[in-house]
Amino acid sequence: MAEKVMVKGTEAIGEAAIRAGCRLYFGYPITPQSELTEYMSRRMPQVDGVFLQAESEVAAVNMLYGAASTGHRVMTSTSSPGYSLMQEGVSYIAGAELPVVFVNVVRGGPGLGDIQPAQSDYFQATKGGGHGDYRLVVYGPESLQEAVELTAKAFDVADKYRNPALILADGMLGQMMEPVEFPEFRDLNTLPDHSSWAMQGAKGREPHKITSFDINEYVLEQMNLRYQEKYKKIIENEQMWEEYKTEDADVIIVAYGTMGRIAKTIVNMAREKGVKAGLFRPITLWPYPYDALAKLADQAKLFFTVEMSMGQMVEDVKLAVNGKKPVEFYGRTGGVVPTPNEVLAKLMELI
Amino acid sequence: MSYKIKFKGPEALSGKEFTYCPGCHHGIVHRLVAEVIDELGIREKTLMVAPVGCSVFAYEFFDVDGTVAPHGRAPAVATGMKRAMPENVVFTYQGDGDLAAIGTAEILHAANRGEKITTIFINNAIYGMTGGQMAPTTLLGMKTTTSPYGRSAENEGYPIHMAELLSNLPGVAYLARTKVNKPQDVIKTKKMIKKAFLAQIEGKGFGMVEVLSTCPTNWGIPPVEANKWLEENMVPEYPLGVYVDKVGDEK
C-alpha cells in the first residue's frame, strides 16, 4: 500500500472513484461538495476520462443514465437539494438496473437549508426519494479512510447486482482533511464485463434494450418481483456495521457517519463516569443491519439514537429493537453538529 | 418457381408492428430514419434514445440498441452515451411535449455544447399519448383538452419555435424543419435526416430535423383532412427549410 496523504474529504472520494475505475463523471456544483466536481474536472483528463459539467442536476443524473447504459463505471456527486433534483433519474436508473455510484454530501434542510453538515436526508436515501418500489445500497462512512474504501466497494457492489449505490456523507466529511491511504489503481481490463447487456452497438447480436418500463402491468409486476429477489440477496450479503465496546454494554448508542465517529468519544466519556456504554454504528444504511442490532436488545437495557436530524434513523433502530427495550433519541438539526458533552449530558439524564 | 425480392423493409426496423394511430406520421418518419441508418451502414453501432409519449415504443421498432429516457431528458441521456462511446452513433427521437416543454433545458444545452448526437423532433402541435392537451407548439386559437377555448397569447403565450431558437447556437451543425404530408416532402425529409446524421458522423456537431406532423386522433379530424390542416395552418406558423447546414453537399 502507498503512504498516507493529507486530503480533503470530497477530493478523497473523487480520487477513490478514479482508482476504482470510474472514467466518466457528470455533475453540477453545489456546496459543500463543489470541490469534488472541481477535482474531477482536473483529474479526469489526466486519466483519459470524461468530465462534463451538466446544466443541472437533472441533466447530470440523466447523463449518468446514458453513460452507465454503455457498461462503463460512472459517478456523480451532489448535496441535498441537488440530490432531490436527481430523484427522477435515481428511480429510472434503479428501474433500468444500471450500476452507478452517487455521492450525497448532506447539508441542512429542508428546502435550500444551509451549507452545514446534516443527516436529514436519511429517509430520502434509504426509503426511496423517487417513485416506485426500489432500493439503493447506501453507505455511511465515518472517516475519510472509510469513505475511500466504501467508494471502491460501492462500484463493485453496484456492478455485482446491477444496482445503484449511494455514498451518504455529510458536510463534515466532505470538508474535513485527514491522512488517507489510497488503494492501487484498478486495471480497467479487470473490471466486470458488461457486454452481455450494455448498449454498445448491436454488432453480430440481437439489440440490447434497457428500460425501466413496461406498459403491461403484469409484466411490470414481474420486473418488480425480480428487483425484490435482487434486494433480498443484497440484504443477505451486504450488511456492514461496527460495534465499539458493546460486549458488556448496558447502554447502546446508535449513530452513523460523522455522528457515529463523535459517539465513540461519548462512549469513552460515559465509561469514565462508570456508565457501561457501547456504540452500534451501521455502515450500510440500506440494507440496514437489523439482526445484528436486534441481538443487542437481549443484553442492553437502553438504546440511545443520536443523529444530526430530528430523528430519522431512530425508526430503523425501533424496528430492530422491536419493543424489547426503550429507544431514546437525541438530535440537532439545521446543520448543527452535537458536541460530545451535550450528548453525554442527555445520556446521563436518561439513566 | 423462384422469387426475387425487389423491395423490402429497412434492416434497421425490427419488423414489430407500429402501434400508432391511423394517419399519424410517426410511422413514415421511423421508416425514413431506418432507411438512412441502412444507407449509412451504421445499424450495428447506432444507439437510440426513445422519449416519453406516443413514440415511447420506438426503441422496440428499431433493430438497434435502445433505451427510454425520462420525459424530456433524452438529450442528456444521449450525451452520456456519446461521451462514453464516441465511436457510436447516438440519436434521440422526441415529440413536442418532450423536447419543447419539459425537456427545453436539455435540448438547448446539448445543442449549445455541440453534442455530436442527432435529434429527430416530431412537432404535431399537441400532446398525443396523454390525450390531446396543449403543447408549447399548439397554435394560437387552437382548441385542445386543456385549452378548450383556444390557445390565447395572453394566457398561454405563443407557439414556441424550436428550430429558430436552436439555430442561433454555434454548436449546431445541421438544423432543418420539414414535413411529410406529401410524397415530395418525404423524399426531402429523408435527405435532411441523412444530413443530421452526417453532422454527427463527420464530428461537426449537433444535428436536428423538426418534422411537422399530424395527430388526426387528437386533432379530431380524418387523416386526409389532417394533412390538409397541417399544410394550411402549421406551415405558415412554422416556416420550412434548412436553418443551419455545416455538412455540405453529399458526395
Side-chain angles (χ1 to χ4, degrees), chain A residues 32-351:
Chain A
Q33 68 76 52
S34 296
E35 299 90 340
L36 179 39
T37 309
E38 291 168 357
Y39 187 79
M40 291 312 222
S41 74
R42 287 199 302 277
R43 285 287 283 136
M44 278 305 192
Q46 294 169 354
V47 293
D48 292 327
V50 171
F51 167 86
L52 186 58
Q53 182 171 323
E55 61 269 28
S56 67
E57 286 88 348
V58 177
V61 71
N62 283 287
M63 289 172 184
L64 209 65
Y65 178 111
S69 74
T70 67
H72 289 77
R73 285 197 160 179
V74 300
M75 186 175 93
T76 190
S77 61
T78 186
S79 181
S80 307
Y83 194 57
S84 289
L85 276 173
M86 287 184 183
Q87 290 310 304
E88 172 194 68
V90 175
S91 166
Y92 276 73
I93 284 170
E97 297 185 271
L98 294 174
V100 312
V101 173
F102 293 99
V103 180
N104 180 3
V105 182
V106 182
R107 69 188 222 185
L112 192 54
D114 61 18
I115 57 171
Q116 310 304 328
Q119 295 183 319
S120 43
D121 294 2
Y122 182 89
F123 282 153
Q124 184 191 47
T126 64
K127 312 292 180 198
H131 57 284
D133 283 317
Y134 74 88
R135 293 290 193 175
L136 258 60
V137 183
V138 183
Y139 295 101
E142 63 149 16
S143 66
L144 301 196
Q145 186 63 49
E146 195 173 68
V148 163
E149 284 156 20
L150 290 177
T151 300
K153 189 164 180 68
F155 278 101
D156 287 338
V157 166
D159 270 343
K160 184 176 171 190
Y161 298 97
R162 276 186 67 184
N163 202 71
L166 166 64
I167 305 289
L168 191 70
D170 59 62
M172 183 73 90
L173 275 168
Q175 294 297 313
M176 74 197 295
M177 287 187 83
E178 271 191 324
V180 161
E181 205 173 328
F182 284 109
E184 296 299 316
F185 284 85
R186 268 296 281 274
D187 177 353
L188 297 185
N189 295 316
T190 66
L191 295 181
D193 177 18
H194 292 322
S195 59
S196 64
W197 58 263
M199 290 177 62
Q200 300 170 340
K203 192 170 185 180
R205 59 156 169 78
E206 287 292 303
H208 290 161
K209 312 289 184 183
I210 294 176
T211 74
S212 61
F213 146 86
D214 203 285
I215 203 80
N216 180 312
E217 68 268 39
Y218 296 101
V219 176
L220 186 63
E221 185 179 43
Q222 287 308 312
M223 284 166 68
N224 268 287
L225 293 174
R226 199 182 70 231
Y227 305 156
Q228 295 301 321
E229 281 303 308
K230 175 171 77 176
Y231 302 150
K232 219 183 275 177
K233 281 192 193 124
I234 296 174
I235 290 168
E236 280 165 23
N237 300 325
E238 303 301 335
Q239 292 179 31
M240 292 172 72
W241 70 92
E242 184 197 0
E243 293 185 35
Y244 179 68
K245 299 190 179 175
T246 53
E247 298 82 10
D248 62 341
D250 295 328
V251 180
I252 302 289
I253 299 177
V254 190
Y256 73 96
T258 288
M259 199 60 240
R261 181 174 176 151
I262 297 170
K264 280 185 190 164
T265 306
I266 299 162
V267 165
N268 292 336
M269 287 162 73
R271 283 194 174 254
E272 276 173 27
K273 287 186 180 287
V275 177
K276 280 197 216 163
L279 168 71
F280 185 88
R281 182 174 69 87
I283 298 172
T284 51
L285 302 174
W286 195 89
Y288 198 83
Y290 289 113
D291 293 342
L293 184 55
K295 269 186 199 155
L296 294 172
D298 297 327
Q299 159 205 330
K301 295 178 183 132
L302 176 70
F303 287 80
F304 183 37
T305 308
V306 190
E307 296 178 67
M308 282 142 61
S309 83
M310 282 288 88
Q312 299 195 6
M313 186 186 73
V314 65
E315 295 188 4
D316 281 324
V317 176
K318 284 181 179 170
L319 275 176
V321 173
N322 200 17
K324 283 185 185 167
K325 298 287 160 62
V327 176
E328 297 289 345
F329 171 75
Y330 179 77
R332 299 292 298 269
T333 189
V336 178
V337 182
T339 63
N341 278 327
E342 72 181 83
V343 179
L344 183 67
K346 176 75 182 171
L347 176 64
M348 299 310 284
E349 274 173 36
L350 291 169
I351 54 174

